[in-house]
Amino acid sequence: MRTVTLTLKAEPPVSAEAEQLIPDVVAGKTAEEVRRLPLLVGNRRETVGDWFDVVVDEAEAAAPDLLLRGDLVRFKRLGEGMSRGAMVVEGRVGFHAGARMSGGSLTIAGDAGDFLGAHMAGGRIIVRGDAGHYVAAAYRGEKTGMKGGTIVVTGSVGQMVGARMRRGLVYVQGDAGDVAGYNMKGGTVVVGGAPAARVGARMVRGTVAVLGGEPLELLPTFSYACTYAPTFWRVVHHELARVGHAPRVGPGVTFRRYCGDVNEGGRGEVLAAQPG
Amino acid sequence: MLRVTNGRVHDPGNAVAGEVRDVWLDGGKVVAEPAAEPADVATLDAAGCVVFPGGVELHSHVAGSKVNAGRIMCPEDHVDHYRCRTDVTRAGCGHTVPTTYLTGYEYARLGYTTLFEAAVPPLTARHAHEELRDIPILDTGCYTVMGNNHLVMKVLSDPDEERRAARLRDLVAWLLHATRAYAVKIVNPGGVESWKWHGGPVDLDTSVPPYGVTPRRILTGLAAAADELGLPHPVHVHLNHLGVPGNVAVTLASMQALAGRRAHFTHLQFHSYEATRSGSYASGAPAVAESINQHPEFTCDVGQLVFGPATTMTSDAPMEFRLHHLHKDKWANSDIEMESGAGVVPMRYSPRQLVNAVQWCVGLELMLLIRDPWRVFLTTDHPNAGPFVAYPMIVRLLMDREFRREWLEKLNPRVRRFTTLHELDREYTLDEIATVTRAGQARVLGLADKGHLGVGADADVAVYREQGDRERMFAAPAWVVKGGEVVVRDGEVVAAVDGRPLGVDLGDPPPLAADLAEQFESYSSVRLANYAVEDAYVPDQVLIPCAP
Ligand SMILES: [Zn+2]
């Protein structure tokens, strides 16, 4: 098992675009080759070696393929488009982390910026911290956001989590900002705490499950349907437990189910976990 | 002085068909070979290349308010399509609706040097000219939409035939001059206005409120006015019922109505559908091609469909409304006061979609069935049927029937029941390609100095490296020369010169008639004094003479 370890030397004064820093690209490269990879810093084309100490060494089997250390809050597009391997960032990351990724795992020990996992198609993202707006969302003008995979955020997220998502699972252990599940077309968003205003606005299909329970500020275009213990929650619970983040409410919990958004056909649902 | 030497010259305007000869350029013009070798001559060695006149685009949507609306509402068109700046070019983005600068670079990179924006309502003409000025390298002009203009319809409602014709001629001259435009454009005559009054689609003899004129009268009246003014380009017509199965009937009837007059029919592909028994799409291309074949006074461009993303944008607002209801996705609409409408809807054409597959075949059928390449031109009605960057691929489809067959295999297989493309064996020659992409367009535009390489022509030249794969050949010219300067080398822009605005010389047209001026002042959102585009927006406009 080889691990490529990049340690940030100094924080750049402007944003950098680091879409080259994924396991797919660094796999099989020597330290010198990794140093020569391009890095767009501001409007200047620089290299990875200009900003990172690069070490390639043999490590135990559990070690990641790519390990980044340092406060990378100015680095955008980390893990973008990765399709395999394990990538770990020990520190904060900027916008678009894990966007368009299709496989592998991205673990961020720190906060993530906006558009985390946007247009994600597969794989797994774990954020031990908060994430910004538009987690798992579609980019501006696009019709569908996340299409597969799993995202877990142990903290809270900003607005529009899951906007226009089509498939996949997003679990926010903390709270979610306004309009969680905006215009969802499928998939599941689980909010461990409480969502802010207008949850599920323009939902076409899909599920927003709120574990923090009621009261929910629901739009008038959602209507109460029933109280039940859905089988699919057991599946979701099992999957989250498998990735090491089992929700504290159990697999057999009952939910109040609200259908909406009626303006879009009313086939989406917002579930509110019931105490007990 | 610049010499393009050793190349095989295809200059159909001067009946030069692939002869190896030199082309001499000096002072922005093609010149005769000097008697003695001049001292200060630069040479482009075009051995193994074909030498064409610079490309001429006569129907595209590249500037103005609806184009800008397309840019604003489609950020997804930009995210993966951007160009960083270079030493000579600015940054830009957009695939189906590129930014102004990128539009110029991309056209130049294909060998084009002249470009017309096909639909500008008078109220937005100033904006269109501002954007056209931003487009580098190419000479540009625009057409003014008049087919739903209240002043035009009011004049046409006059029962006195002679007075009607005279007043319309004056009004058309005034509108063209006020908008600094090049030609008269008609879009869905009467149909846009009818829609605004909650009326349905119009046929040729439907009376259109509020003036009770018919599309037939609008078509024939404006065609006659353009003729009598001697405009270099005839009326440029987007017919009624665009995109509707069975519209071949109104297309043929409109051609009948205009028989004997010069007229250009645009994006005919969208107007050449028979209806199947279930009301779906079948090709009407054979009948429409036959009509064009029989009428030497008509020209057309094809509006070839390109699979992939497109952005439909037209003054045909009711058509865009219908399109929006097909997918219920985003839609922009604009009511342009007493002049026109406009709509924008992004699209994606798929080869597996039977309707799209039929449309794709209809375009190629028209190109192959219309016999005279001087009267049918290659367009994609950019970006309506697809982006213009697909031209090299379409050229290959025209020149290579095996490539066409490969593509037919990828289409929805039912397409063979509704089209005849699979029966057509014709392959375009290089001369015919030169005709349908520049020579023919320049001729129907009345641009005597463009589209050919005779002495006195503008020094606009495109040199392509000869290769079997025509798509690759036409996608990256070895050199493109604009006004005597090399602007593209090996498919990359190396100099971003300024193009010139093109207009028509109408002399001093008579002022707007008093009753029309009063109507204008009563209902428009601008005063008449602020309406006309000022000279500053079209500096050094090249005025092409009229021949009344
Ligand atoms: Zn058009």
Side-chain angles (χ1 to χ4, degrees):
Chain A
M1 191 74 203
R2 281 166 84 256
T3 294
V4 178
T5 304
L6 306 186
T7 307
L8 186 64
K9 297 186 208 170
E11 200 179 336
V14 290
S15 293
E17 307 225 354
E19 78 276 16
Q20 298 285 341
L21 294 182
I22 55 175
D24 307 56
V25 172
V26 302
K29 289 202 165 54
T30 64
E32 192 45 44
E33 284 167 336
V34 172
R35 277 184 207 109
R36 282 205 302 269
L37 287 173
L39 190 65
L40 194 66
V41 180
N43 61 3
R44 293 225 302 271
R45 201 156 283 282
E46 303 186 356
T47 66
V48 168
D50 293 337
W51 294 92
F52 291 92
D53 289 321
V54 181
V55 177
V56 178
D57 54 9
E58 297 297 317
E60 73 269 31
D65 303 275
L66 175 59
L67 173 63
L68 278 77
R69 291 199 170 111
D71 186 2
L72 300 170
V73 72
R74 289 225 165 98
F75 284 77
K76 296 177 181 175
R77 305 171 68 185
L78 284 162
E80 179 182 280
M82 65 184 278
S83 69
R84 60 194 161 97
M87 172 167 170
V88 172
V89 184
E90 292 177 353
R92 298 187 297 171
V93 300
F95 285 10
H96 312 293
R100 301 176 197 266
M101 80 184 263
S102 59
S105 77
L106 170 62
T107 305
I108 298 161
D111 298 339
D114 294 356
F115 291 105
L116 174 78
H119 287 255
M120 179 173 177
R124 191 167 74 217
I125 301 177
I126 309 279
V127 176
R128 297 207 178 85
D130 297 333
H133 306 307
Y134 299 102
V135 173
Y139 281 135
R140 308 253 189 247
E142 302 277 5
K143 291 178 197 170
T144 48
M146 181 176 184
K147 287 180 273 298
T150 303
I151 299 177
V152 176
V153 178
T154 62
S156 295
V157 298
Q159 294 166 6
M160 308 279 265
V161 53
R164 296 200 165 95
M165 74 186 271
R166 181 76 184 80
R167 263 189 212 94
L169 172 62
V170 178
Y171 176 33
V172 179
Q173 285 185 299
D175 299 333
D178 287 350
V179 223
Y182 171 77
N183 201 208
M184 271 175 84
K185 288 148 184 188
T188 306
V189 173
V190 180
V191 180
R198 292 183 279 282
V199 56
R202 290 199 65 206
M203 256 178 119
V204 179
R205 274 191 291 270
T207 303
V208 178
V210 179
L211 308 183
E214 294 182 281
L216 282 176
E217 192 202 305
L218 273 175
L219 289 165
T221 47
F222 279 77
S223 56
Y224 172 73
C226 62
T227 300
Y228 73 140
T231 308
F232 101 97
W233 173 249
R234 295 172 184 277
V235 180
V236 170
H237 195 282
H238 180 82
E239 166 65 11
L240 291 173
R242 193 178 67 82
V243 300
H245 292 271
R248 51 184 171 75
V249 302
V253 71
T254 58
F255 290 92
R256 279 170 69 85
R257 178 174 194 258
Y258 299 87
C259 295
D261 184 323
V262 171
N263 287 342
E264 304 291 332
R267 283 170 295 167
E269 59 180 11
V270 173
L271 306 178
Q274 297 303 294
Chain B
M1 189 170 255
L2 185 65
R3 173 176 52 179
V4 183
T5 186
N6 292 331
R8 290 149 69 85
V9 177
H10 290 270
D11 180 11
N14 294 303
V16 179
E19 276 171 46
V20 176
R21 58 161 75 180
D22 290 358
V23 178
W24 293 81
L25 311 171
D26 195 26
K29 292 284 177 186
V30 177
V31 295
E33 180 170 353
E37 177 96 358
D40 61 336
V41 64
T43 300
L44 304 179
D45 185 356
C49 298
V50 298
V51 179
F52 278 26
V56 179
E57 170 69 280
L58 97 166
H59 189 110
S60 184
H61 300 277
V62 292
S65 59
K66 69 183 182 310
V67 179
N68 230 15
R71 293 186 187 115
I72 293 163
M73 69 195 278
C74 296
E76 75 276 17
D77 190 49
H78 309 161
V79 65
D80 289 325
H81 299 278
Y82 55 87
R83 284 292 177 95
C84 299
R85 69 172 184 192
T86 68
D87 290 341
V88 293
T89 63
R90 300 197 187 207
C93 67
H95 174 57
T96 67
V97 196
T99 49
T100 50
Y101 286 95
L102 191 56
T103 300
Y105 304 143
E106 293 289 285
Y107 262 114
R109 272 158 39 85
L110 297 179
Y112 279 77
T113 49
T114 307
L115 169 64
F116 283 87
E117 155 61 50
V120 176
L123 269 171
T124 68
R126 203 176 267 107
H127 177 181
H129 282 295
E130 286 183 309
E131 288 199 21
L132 288 173
R133 255 184 94 180
D134 268 359
I135 293 176
I137 301 172
L138 296 101
D139 294 339
T140 57
C142 64
Y143 312 149
T144 304
V145 291
M146 299 190 190
N148 292 275
N149 185 302
H150 275 222
L151 302 182
V152 167
M153 291 190 291
K154 184 179 160 80
V155 166
L156 281 171
S157 68
D158 186 340
D160 183 327
E161 212 172 305
E162 237 169 78
R163 188 172 55 199
R164 183 167 85 208
R167 293 191 79 206
L168 185 65
R169 195 177 54 227
D170 288 350
L171 174 60
V172 166
W174 183 84
L175 275 170
L176 280 177
H177 188 259
T179 51
R180 305 307 175 117
Y182 192 82
V184 177
K185 174 78 181 293
I186 303 175
V187 176
N188 188 359
V192 180
E193 188 60 25
S194 166
W195 184 65
K196 292 190 193 178
W197 292 85
H198 224 279
V202 296
D203 280 312
L204 265 190
D205 295 306
T206 311
S207 163
V208 175
Y211 297 102
V213 298
T214 61
R216 181 187 300 276
R217 191 177 278 190
I218 297 172
L219 272 178
T220 52
L222 287 171
D227 263 1
E228 286 170 26
L229 288 168
L231 297 179
H233 186 49
V235 274
H236 195 102
V237 187
H238 157 151
L239 293 159
N240 303 113
H241 300 242
L242 184 147
V244 179
N247 62 10
V248 66
V250 79
T251 300
L252 295 175
S254 302
M255 289 179 176
Q256 206 67 56
L258 287 169
R261 290 215 176 274
R262 294 175 71 214
H264 178 84
F265 298 96
T266 190
H267 39 68
L268 258 193
Q269 177 270 123
F270 283 125
H271 303 276
S272 303
Y273 309 137
E274 299 275 8
T276 64
R277 238 175 295 160
S278 61
S280 186
Y281 291 74
S283 170
V288 172
E290 195 43 42
S291 178
I292 294 284
N293 282 336
Q294 281 173 6
H295 288 279
E297 68 276 29
F298 292 161
T299 53
C300 66
D301 65 89
V302 67
Q304 173 62 34
L305 199 89
V306 181
F307 295 122
T311 306
T312 67
M313 50 174 66
T314 163
S315 303
D316 198 342
M319 195 283 295
E320 294 287 2
F321 181 65
R322 222 186 51 243
L323 218 51
H324 161 63
H325 279 277
L326 224 53
H327 301 292
K328 291 276 194 292
D329 284 327
K330 46 191 170 183
W331 164 54
N333 180 62
S334 173
D335 171 17
I336 304 176
E337 301 192 20
M338 304 192 302
E339 296 183 343
S340 181
V344 184
V345 173
M347 286 287 284
R348 176 173 283 275
Y349 300 115
S350 154
R352 307 301 299 174
Q353 258 298 331
L354 182 58
V355 175
N356 298 162
V358 170
Q359 293 178 305
W360 185 86
C361 290
V362 167
L364 291 172
E365 283 177 282
L366 286 170
M367 293 290 293
L368 296 169
L369 289 170
I370 294 172
R371 286 188 292 270
D372 182 359
W374 288 91
R375 296 196 293 115
V376 58
F377 311 126
L378 173 55
T379 63
T380 60
D381 189 14
H382 165 86
N384 283 285
F388 66 83
V389 289
Y391 283 167
M393 186 199 187
I394 302 171
V395 166
R396 183 169 177 204
L397 286 166
L398 293 172
M399 295 191 75
D400 181 347
R401 65 176 160 241
E402 273 316 306
F403 187 56
R404 226 152 53 211
R405 278 204 192 109
E406 280 167 35
W407 262 99
L408 268 167
E409 295 301 316
K410 297 180 200 168
L411 306 189
N412 186 313
R414 290 168 64 209
V415 75
R416 285 167 187 257
R417 277 169 53 197
F418 303 111
T419 66
T420 64
L421 183 62
H422 56 281
E423 297 165 7
L424 303 178
D425 280 339
R426 179 175 166 195
E427 290 182 330
Y428 269 62
T429 62
L430 282 169
D431 272 304
E432 287 173 325
I433 293 295
T435 310
V436 301
T437 56
R438 48 264 283 165
Q441 270 115 321
R443 184 174 286 183
V444 75
L445 285 163
L447 292 168
D449 293 348
K450 296 201 179 287
H452 70 99
L453 295 172
V455 170
D458 289 345
D460 301 348
V461 185
V463 182
Y464 303 96
R465 257 186 210 102
E466 180 107 48
Q467 41 187 311
D469 181 341
R470 304 302 191 180
E471 182 176 353
R472 287 182 57 183
M473 170 172 167
F474 284 98
W479 296 281
V480 179
V481 180
K482 169 67 178 56
E485 260 198 76
V486 175
V487 291
V488 171
R489 192 180 299 261
D490 295 322
E492 292 305 327
V493 175
V494 293
V497 301
D498 282 335
R500 294 167 307 171
L502 299 169
V504 288
D505 188 356
L506 293 154
D508 225 348
L512 191 60
D515 61 323
L516 300 179
E518 190 192 324
Q519 157 126 358
F520 185 98
E521 296 283 20
S522 308
Y523 297 107
S524 288
S525 65
V526 297
R527 304 302 302 270
L528 195 51
N530 298 326
Y531 189 60
V533 176
E534 296 83 353
D535 287 333
Y537 288 86
V538 279
D540 305 322
Q541 191 175 33
V542 178
L543 297 179
I544 305 300
C546 296

